[in-house]
Amino acid sequence: KVNGTVKLDRDVNISSEYKLDGNRSLTIDLNGHSIKGTGTDSDYMFNILSGSSMTVMDSSEAQNGKIVVTRVYEDYDDTIIVNDGGRLTLESGKLQGNEDDDCRLVAVEYGTFVMNGGSVTGNAYDGDGAGVYVNEGTFIMNGGNISGNHSARAGYSGGGIYFDGSSTSKLVITGGEIFGNSAYDGGAIYLDDGYAELTGGKIYRNQAFNTSAIKIY
């Protein structure tokens, strides 16, 4: 579907890149199942472009549904990338770490990511922002957790969140938890530039060579 809701009734594999453009609106109900990226020579699983939006949720009781990529010949760059005015909303379910240590879970490039629940978890990445990477975009965290993500290589920052913004972008955290992440600097959050407002939530048990919780550069 290019619009409306897709409710999974089984685990599925995606072997090609899935792009949302042209003002599409898609809701994926994981329903306790997994979507696994197995593409060869793929840069991403989902790319959300200007005017389009994608919502991820899990209506199952256990809410163990997940989106995950695996290493197949060539590396993914991002599991989900939000570009140029696109919007991603995570209501429930997991964006889960992978076998590909060259892949970020969520990358926001001039787009918006709203996290109301669910988890961004268990990822290792040889670069900045293993969990959530934001460049000139907006990230609003109202709930859920960002946990167990590691910007593994020395010199990289923001294991949980790496935020590089401007006067028009913002990082807003009103709830949720950020824990068990690690990096060389800014284990939980690395704020390079832009505007940040933290009014709720919990940040704990993160690790770094420098500044285990929040580094403001």
Side-chain angles (χ1 to χ4, degrees), residues 2-217:
V2 295
N3 288 293
T5 300
V6 174
K7 185 174 183 177
L8 300 187
D9 60 6
R10 63 181 70 90
D11 295 344
V12 296
N13 292 341
I14 292 179
S15 60
S16 59
E17 299 168 332
Y18 192 95
K19 184 181 294 184
L20 280 79
D21 56 8
N23 298 312
R24 298 178 182 180
S25 178
L26 176 65
T27 296
I28 298 175
D29 181 355
L30 297 169
N31 192 29
H33 298 286
S34 66
I35 300 176
K36 182 178 290 186
T38 59
T40 302
D41 197 21
S42 295
D43 292 329
Y44 55 81
M45 283 181 67
F46 296 96
N47 186 0
I48 308 165
L49 293 166
S50 178
S52 292
S53 64
M54 187 173 85
T55 298
V56 177
M57 59 172 288
D58 186 348
S59 63
S60 69
E61 184 175 354
Q63 296 191 344
N64 286 326
K66 60 186 179 181
I67 295 176
V68 60
V69 304
T70 58
R71 181 187 291 276
V72 184
Y73 302 112
E74 299 293 335
D75 297 329
Y76 284 88
D77 294 326
D78 309 289
T79 303
I80 302 176
I81 183 167
V82 190
N83 268 309
D84 301 326
R87 184 181 182 93
L88 170 67
T89 302
L90 179 61
E91 295 289 354
S92 51
K94 299 178 182 179
L95 306 181
Q96 184 168 309
N98 47 71
E99 300 166 15
D100 182 354
D101 60 6
D102 288 327
C103 178
R104 293 174 294 211
L105 284 175
V106 180
V108 181
E109 301 274 358
Y110 301 90
T112 299
F113 176 29
V114 179
M115 186 173 177
N116 295 320
S119 58
V120 176
T121 186
N123 192 44
Y125 175 57
D126 286 342
D128 298 322
V132 178
Y133 176 89
V134 183
N135 177 36
E136 299 286 350
T138 295
F139 178 35
I140 300 172
M141 184 177 182
N142 299 315
N145 72 77
I146 299 174
S147 60
N149 302 292
H150 311 287
S151 288
R153 190 173 296 175
Y156 289 112
S157 305
I161 302 169
Y162 184 95
F163 188 87
D164 185 3
S166 68
S167 60
T168 60
S169 58
K170 57 186 177 181
L171 170 64
V172 177
I173 298 176
T174 67
E177 298 186 342
I178 304 173
F179 63 91
N181 304 283
S182 68
Y184 180 81
D185 202 1
I189 301 172
Y190 188 93
L191 181 66
D192 195 343
D193 204 350
Y195 170 82
E197 180 179 291
L198 284 71
T199 60
K202 297 180 180 179
I203 300 173
Y204 60 97
R205 217 176 297 153
N206 301 279
Q207 296 181 333
F209 182 79
N210 296 311
T211 320
S212 62
I214 304 171
K215 174 63 176 286
I216 301 173
Y217 179 73

